[in-house]
Amino acid sequence: MALAFAAFFGGGVIPIILGLNLSFWPSFARMARAIALSTLKENHVEAARLAGYGGMTILRRHLLPPVLQQLSGLVALNIGVAIISISSLGFLGFGLQPPEPEWGAMISELIPYMAAAPIQLGGPCLAIFLTVSAMSALAGHFAQGTRLDA
């Protein structure tokens, strides 16, 4: 989806963001709906409803915390996917345009010099690898429910 938007609208920040958002939102919506439906069936939500709490109070106190906690792991995981997608678009020439620094475009520009100076190609590749690995580790912490300050 991001490739189609970037190619159709000529690259740039806005088409890439629109394409990535349109491709990621269904997974967030499905997960939020599944968590919300399972949370609404729990006893403490039913007790709050029977105690006379309003819908907004139940939403704020009982529904949003578990939904946001579970979605935070998906957000961290999708940030890594977005970084790889944006780098791939930059490598293909559909990403950000030359005054803007972009890892995929850097790799694309360094390909002709790979035989003479292969270490130069390692910089952007290592940056992508470390950033995506960090986002995956962060997603693992969120999925386990562990707090980062603990």
Side-chain angles (χ1 to χ4, degrees):
M1 182 76 73
L3 178 62
F5 265 81
F8 188 71
F9 293 113
V13 176
I14 301 298
I16 291 173
I17 289 173
L18 283 175
L20 289 174
N21 283 336
L22 286 175
S23 63
F24 287 155
W25 82 266
S27 61
F28 286 101
R30 282 193 305 261
M31 185 172 214
R33 182 178 185 272
I35 296 166
L37 289 177
S38 66
T39 303
L40 286 174
K41 294 178 183 175
E42 293 180 3
N43 291 335
H44 64 91
V45 176
E46 187 64 30
R49 193 175 301 140
L50 291 174
Y53 288 108
M56 290 303 292
T57 304
I58 292 173
L59 174 72
R60 190 178 65 247
R61 289 186 182 173
H62 299 287
L63 197 59
L64 280 181
V67 169
L68 293 178
Q69 181 184 6
Q70 293 292 325
L71 285 182
S72 61
L74 187 61
V75 166
L77 196 61
N78 279 340
I79 287 173
V81 172
I83 289 169
I84 291 174
S85 299
I86 292 170
S87 297
S88 300
L89 288 172
F91 182 79
L92 294 173
F94 294 116
L96 302 176
Q97 299 308 315
E100 298 293 327
E102 202 273 315
W103 290 328
M106 290 178 193
I107 294 170
S108 178
E109 291 173 3
L110 290 171
I111 291 289
Y113 307 107
M114 191 167 77
I119 195 72
Q120 297 296 325
L121 195 61
C125 293
L126 186 64
I128 292 170
F129 172 75
L130 291 176
T131 306
V132 172
S133 296
M135 286 294 122
S136 296
L138 191 63
H141 280 289
F142 284 129
Q144 292 175 357
T146 57
R147 292 175 36 186
L148 294 178
D149 60 352

